[in-house]
PDB file of all heavy atoms in Angstrom:
ATOM      1  N   ASP F   7     111.716 105.962  90.809  1.00 98.00           N
ATOM      2  CA  ASP F   7     112.149 106.934  89.866  1.00 98.00           C
ATOM      3  C   ASP F   7     112.722 108.179  90.507  1.00 98.00           C
ATOM      4  O   ASP F   7     113.436 108.986  89.905  1.00 98.00           O
ATOM      5  CB  ASP F   7     110.979 107.310  88.989  1.00 98.00           C
ATOM      6  CG  ASP F   7     110.434 106.153  88.188  1.00 98.00           C
ATOM      7  OD1 ASP F   7     111.166 105.245  87.830  1.00 98.00           O
ATOM      8  OD2 ASP F   7     109.210 106.186  87.926  1.00 98.00           O
ATOM      9  N   ILE F   8     112.434 108.353  91.820  1.00 98.00           N
ATOM     10  CA  ILE F   8     112.898 109.600  92.509  1.00 98.00           C
ATOM     11  C   ILE F   8     114.269 109.370  93.125  1.00 98.00           C
ATOM     12  O   ILE F   8     115.194 110.172  92.919  1.00 98.00           O
ATOM     13  CB  ILE F   8     111.859 109.967  93.598  1.00 98.00           C
ATOM     14  CG1 ILE F   8     110.468 110.158  92.923  1.00 98.00           C
ATOM     15  CG2 ILE F   8     112.252 111.284  94.286  1.00 98.00           C
ATOM     16  CD1 ILE F   8     110.366 111.145  91.810  1.00 98.00           C
ATOM     17  N   CYS F   9     114.390 108.336  93.933  1.00 98.00           N
ATOM     18  CA  CYS F   9     115.689 108.130  94.714  1.00 98.00           C
ATOM     19  C   CYS F   9     116.549 107.018  94.284  1.00 98.00           C
ATOM     20  O   CYS F   9     117.655 106.868  94.785  1.00 98.00           O
ATOM     21  CB  CYS F   9     115.368 108.136  96.212  1.00 98.00           C
ATOM     22  SG  CYS F   9     114.668 106.562  96.762  1.00 98.00           S
ATOM     23  N   GLY F  10     115.996 106.111  93.508  1.00 98.00           N
ATOM     24  CA  GLY F  10     116.814 104.948  93.063  1.00 98.00           C
ATOM     25  C   GLY F  10     116.667 103.711  93.965  1.00 98.00           C
ATOM     26  O   GLY F  10     117.342 102.700  93.688  1.00 98.00           O
ATOM     27  N   TYR F  11     115.891 103.765  95.022  1.00 98.00           N
ATOM     28  CA  TYR F  11     115.697 102.580  95.874  1.00 98.00           C
ATOM     29  C   TYR F  11     115.162 101.432  94.975  1.00 98.00           C
ATOM     30  O   TYR F  11     114.263 101.629  94.159  1.00 98.00           O
ATOM     31  CB  TYR F  11     114.639 102.855  96.986  1.00 98.00           C
ATOM     32  CG  TYR F  11     114.202 101.655  97.754  1.00 98.00           C
ATOM     33  CD1 TYR F  11     114.958 101.158  98.826  1.00 98.00           C
ATOM     34  CD2 TYR F  11     113.019 101.038  97.425  1.00 98.00           C
ATOM     35  CE1 TYR F  11     114.529 100.046  99.505  1.00 98.00           C
ATOM     36  CE2 TYR F  11     112.605  99.893  98.123  1.00 98.00           C
ATOM     37  CZ  TYR F  11     113.342  99.438  99.173  1.00 98.00           C
ATOM     38  OH  TYR F  11     112.949  98.295  99.879  1.00 98.00           O
ATOM     39  N   VAL F  12     115.664 100.206  95.224  1.00 98.00           N
ATOM     40  CA  VAL F  12     115.205  99.107  94.440  1.00 98.00           C
ATOM     41  C   VAL F  12     114.420  98.172  95.321  1.00 98.00           C
ATOM     42  O   VAL F  12     114.885  97.698  96.375  1.00 98.00           O
ATOM     43  CB  VAL F  12     116.415  98.325  93.834  1.00 98.00           C
ATOM     44  CG1 VAL F  12     115.943  97.026  93.135  1.00 98.00           C
ATOM     45  CG2 VAL F  12     117.218  99.196  92.836  1.00 98.00           C
ATOM     46  N   TYR F  13     113.145  97.899  94.883  1.00 98.00           N
ATOM     47  CA  TYR F  13     112.337  96.886  95.564  1.00 98.00           C
ATOM     48  C   TYR F  13     112.540  95.597  94.857  1.00 98.00           C
ATOM     49  O   TYR F  13     112.211  95.452  93.634  1.00 98.00           O
ATOM     50  CB  TYR F  13     110.847  97.264  95.550  1.00 98.00           C
ATOM     51  CG  TYR F  13     109.948  96.198  96.101  1.00 98.00           C
ATOM     52  CD1 TYR F  13     109.823  96.040  97.476  1.00 98.00           C
ATOM     53  CD2 TYR F  13     109.280  95.275  95.312  1.00 98.00           C
ATOM     54  CE1 TYR F  13     109.046  95.024  98.023  1.00 98.00           C
ATOM     55  CE2 TYR F  13     108.563  94.230  95.833  1.00 98.00           C
ATOM     56  CZ  TYR F  13     108.427  94.106  97.170  1.00 98.00           C
ATOM     57  OH  TYR F  13     107.719  93.086  97.751  1.00 98.00           O
ATOM     58  N   ASP F  14     113.076  94.597  95.536  1.00 98.00           N
ATOM     59  CA  ASP F  14     113.305  93.276  95.007  1.00 98.00           C
ATOM     60  C   ASP F  14     112.179  92.309  95.516  1.00 98.00           C
ATOM     61  O   ASP F  14     112.109  92.115  96.722  1.00 98.00           O
ATOM     62  CB  ASP F  14     114.689  92.776  95.397  1.00 98.00           C
ATOM     63  CG  ASP F  14     115.116  91.515  94.845  1.00 98.00           C
ATOM     64  OD1 ASP F  14     114.269  90.708  94.369  1.00 98.00           O
ATOM     65  OD2 ASP F  14     116.348  91.207  94.851  1.00 98.00           O
ATOM     66  N   GLU F  15     111.429  91.827  94.597  1.00 98.00           N
ATOM     67  CA  GLU F  15     110.335  90.937  95.034  1.00 98.00           C
ATOM     68  C   GLU F  15     110.803  89.711  95.824  1.00 98.00           C
ATOM     69  O   GLU F  15     110.090  89.265  96.715  1.00 98.00           O
ATOM     70  CB  GLU F  15     109.505  90.472  93.807  1.00 98.00           C
ATOM     71  CG  GLU F  15     108.761  91.543  93.085  1.00 98.00           C
ATOM     72  CD  GLU F  15     108.000  91.117  91.915  1.00 98.00           C
ATOM     73  OE1 GLU F  15     108.252  90.002  91.355  1.00 98.00           O
ATOM     74  OE2 GLU F  15     107.152  91.888  91.426  1.00 98.00           O
ATOM     75  N   ALA F  16     112.018  89.220  95.533  1.00 98.00           N
ATOM     76  CA  ALA F  16     112.582  88.080  96.251  1.00 98.00           C
ATOM     77  C   ALA F  16     112.868  88.434  97.717  1.00 98.00           C
ATOM     78  O   ALA F  16     112.829  87.542  98.590  1.00 98.00           O
ATOM     79  CB  ALA F  16     113.810  87.585  95.553  1.00 98.00           C
ATOM     80  N   VAL F  17     113.212  89.717  97.954  1.00 98.00           N
ATOM     81  CA  VAL F  17     113.535  90.122  99.335  1.00 98.00           C
ATOM     82  C   VAL F  17     112.397  90.792 100.053  1.00 98.00           C
ATOM     83  O   VAL F  17     112.232  90.606 101.239  1.00 98.00           O
ATOM     84  CB  VAL F  17     114.725  91.143  99.222  1.00 98.00           C
ATOM     85  CG1 VAL F  17     115.097  91.703 100.604  1.00 98.00           C
ATOM     86  CG2 VAL F  17     115.914  90.428  98.597  1.00 98.00           C
ATOM     87  N   GLY F  18     111.538  91.475  99.304  1.00 98.00           N
ATOM     88  CA  GLY F  18     110.424  92.214  99.947  1.00 98.00           C
ATOM     89  C   GLY F  18     110.949  93.437 100.677  1.00 98.00           C
ATOM     90  O   GLY F  18     111.996  94.007 100.336  1.00 98.00           O
ATOM     91  N   ASP F  19     110.203  93.869 101.661  1.00 98.00           N
ATOM     92  CA  ASP F  19     110.596  94.986 102.556  1.00 98.00           C
ATOM     93  C   ASP F  19     110.272  94.656 103.967  1.00 98.00           C
ATOM     94  O   ASP F  19     109.291  95.161 104.521  1.00 98.00           O
ATOM     95  CB  ASP F  19     109.918  96.302 102.039  1.00 98.00           C
ATOM     96  CG  ASP F  19     110.323  97.494 102.838  1.00 98.00           C
ATOM     97  OD1 ASP F  19     111.323  97.461 103.612  1.00 98.00           O
ATOM     98  OD2 ASP F  19     109.659  98.547 102.759  1.00 98.00           O
ATOM     99  N   PRO F  20     111.043  93.722 104.571  1.00 97.00           N
ATOM    100  CA  PRO F  20     110.669  93.201 105.887  1.00 97.00           C
ATOM    101  C   PRO F  20     110.604  94.301 106.985  1.00 97.00           C
ATOM    102  O   PRO F  20     109.821  94.186 107.920  1.00 97.00           O
ATOM    103  CB  PRO F  20     111.773  92.229 106.224  1.00 97.00           C
ATOM    104  CG  PRO F  20     112.861  92.461 105.275  1.00 97.00           C
ATOM    105  CD  PRO F  20     112.251  93.109 104.061  1.00 97.00           C
ATOM    106  N   ASP F  21     111.368  95.435 106.764  1.00 97.00           N
ATOM    107  CA  ASP F  21     111.309  96.461 107.809  1.00 97.00           C
ATOM    108  C   ASP F  21     109.928  97.200 107.783  1.00 97.00           C
ATOM    109  O   ASP F  21     109.573  97.873 108.743  1.00 97.00           O
ATOM    110  CB  ASP F  21     112.371  97.507 107.539  1.00 97.00           C
ATOM    111  CG  ASP F  21     113.817  96.973 107.756  1.00 97.00           C
ATOM    112  OD1 ASP F  21     113.889  95.890 108.512  1.00 97.00           O
ATOM    113  OD2 ASP F  21     114.744  97.479 107.309  1.00 97.00           O
ATOM    114  N   ASN F  22     109.163  97.038 106.700  1.00 97.00           N
ATOM    115  CA  ASN F  22     107.873  97.621 106.567  1.00 97.00           C
ATOM    116  C   ASN F  22     106.755  96.662 106.299  1.00 97.00           C
ATOM    117  O   ASN F  22     105.752  96.946 105.636  1.00 97.00           O
ATOM    118  CB  ASN F  22     107.924  98.690 105.425  1.00 97.00           C
ATOM    119  CG  ASN F  22     108.825  99.861 105.851  1.00 97.00           C
ATOM    120  OD1 ASN F  22     108.504 100.597 106.738  1.00 97.00           O
ATOM    121  ND2 ASN F  22     109.948  99.971 105.145  1.00 97.00           N
ATOM    122  N   ASN F  23     106.902  95.439 106.849  1.00 96.00           N
ATOM    123  CA  ASN F  23     105.904  94.371 106.883  1.00 96.00           C
ATOM    124  C   ASN F  23     105.557  93.858 105.520  1.00 96.00           C
ATOM    125  O   ASN F  23     104.367  93.498 105.279  1.00 96.00           O
ATOM    126  CB  ASN F  23     104.670  94.861 107.634  1.00 96.00           C
ATOM    127  CG  ASN F  23     105.003  95.186 109.097  1.00 96.00           C
ATOM    128  OD1 ASN F  23     105.735  94.507 109.745  1.00 96.00           O
ATOM    129  ND2 ASN F  23     104.443  96.307 109.604  1.00 96.00           N
ATOM    130  N   VAL F  24     106.513  93.841 104.552  1.00 98.00           N
ATOM    131  CA  VAL F  24     106.270  93.224 103.261  1.00 98.00           C
ATOM    132  C   VAL F  24     107.159  92.025 103.151  1.00 98.00           C
ATOM    133  O   VAL F  24     108.361  92.175 103.165  1.00 98.00           O
ATOM    134  CB  VAL F  24     106.559  94.238 102.071  1.00 98.00           C
ATOM    135  CG1 VAL F  24     106.258  93.555 100.772  1.00 98.00           C
ATOM    136  CG2 VAL F  24     105.669  95.497 102.215  1.00 98.00           C
ATOM    137  N   ALA F  25     106.517  90.847 103.198  1.00 98.00           N
ATOM    138  CA  ALA F  25     107.264  89.624 103.218  1.00 98.00           C
ATOM    139  C   ALA F  25     108.031  89.357 101.948  1.00 98.00           C
ATOM    140  O   ALA F  25     107.693  89.769 100.824  1.00 98.00           O
ATOM    141  CB  ALA F  25     106.312  88.460 103.444  1.00 98.00           C
ATOM    142  N   ALA F  26     109.161  88.609 102.081  1.00 98.00           N
ATOM    143  CA  ALA F  26     109.901  88.186 100.959  1.00 98.00           C
ATOM    144  C   ALA F  26     109.039  87.373 100.034  1.00 98.00           C
ATOM    145  O   ALA F  26     108.168  86.583 100.480  1.00 98.00           O
ATOM    146  CB  ALA F  26     111.116  87.334 101.392  1.00 98.00           C
ATOM    147  N   GLY F  27     109.205  87.523  98.745  1.00 98.00           N
ATOM    148  CA  GLY F  27     108.372  86.861  97.733  1.00 98.00           C
ATOM    149  C   GLY F  27     107.092  87.554  97.369  1.00 98.00           C
ATOM    150  O   GLY F  27     106.328  87.093  96.531  1.00 98.00           O
ATOM    151  N   THR F  28     106.875  88.802  97.898  1.00 98.00           N
ATOM    152  CA  THR F  28     105.692  89.517  97.602  1.00 98.00           C
ATOM    153  C   THR F  28     105.867  90.281  96.256  1.00 98.00           C
ATOM    154  O   THR F  28     106.801  91.108  96.151  1.00 98.00           O
ATOM    155  CB  THR F  28     105.401  90.574  98.701  1.00 98.00           C
ATOM    156  OG1 THR F  28     105.219  89.872  99.963  1.00 98.00           O
ATOM    157  CG2 THR F  28     104.052  91.401  98.385  1.00 98.00           C
TER     158      THR F  28
END
Side-chain angles (χ1 to χ4, degrees):
D7 299 328
I8 306 303
C9 74
Y11 170 84
V12 175
Y13 175 80
D14 184 341
E15 293 179 343
V17 176
D19 182 12
D21 292 340
N22 292 293
N23 301 317
V24 180
T28 302

